[in-house]
Amino acid sequence: MGLSERERAKLASELVASLDGPAEDDVSEAWDIEICRRLNEIESGKAELLDVDEVLALARERLRS
C-alpha cells in the first residue's frame, strides 16, 4: 500500500499478465501479420464493414433459427 495508485495499477497489470505465462513470439508475429492483412483488406475495400446494430441483429436472428 506504500505504492502510488499508478504504481499499484501497473503492478496489478503485470501480475495478471504473468498468469498467462511468457508470450510466444510466433503467436505475436502471427497476430501482427493477421492484423496487417485485415487492415489491408479494409483499406482496399475488399472487406465488408458492418454496423454494430446490423451485426447484433444478424446474430440474434441466427440464434432464433
Side-chain angles (χ1 to χ4, degrees), residues 45-58:
K46 289 181 183 178
E48 179 185 358
L49 301 180
L50 302 174
D51 180 71
V52 67
D53 293 328
E54 186 179 352
V55 170
L56 292 175
L58 289 169

Side-chain angles (χ1 to χ4, degrees), residues 20-64:
D20 291 333
E24 296 180 28
D25 290 335
D26 292 343
V27 173
S28 293
E29 184 179 345
W31 271 114
D32 288 344
I33 292 168
E34 179 64 14
I35 290 166
C36 288
R37 184 189 68 76
R38 291 181 187 194
L39 285 173
N40 287 335
E41 286 186 358
I42 291 169
E43 291 172 352
S44 71
K46 289 181 183 178
E48 179 185 358
L49 301 180
L50 302 174
D51 180 71
V52 67
D53 293 328
E54 186 179 352
V55 170
L56 292 175
L58 289 169
R60 286 185 185 107
E61 187 176 317
R62 285 185 180 181
L63 288 172
R64 283 188 215 121

Side-chain angles (χ1 to χ4, degrees), residues 7-17:
E7 291 169 324
R8 289 194 317 266
K10 184 175 185 215
L11 176 60
S13 176
E14 290 175 3
L15 286 171
V16 170

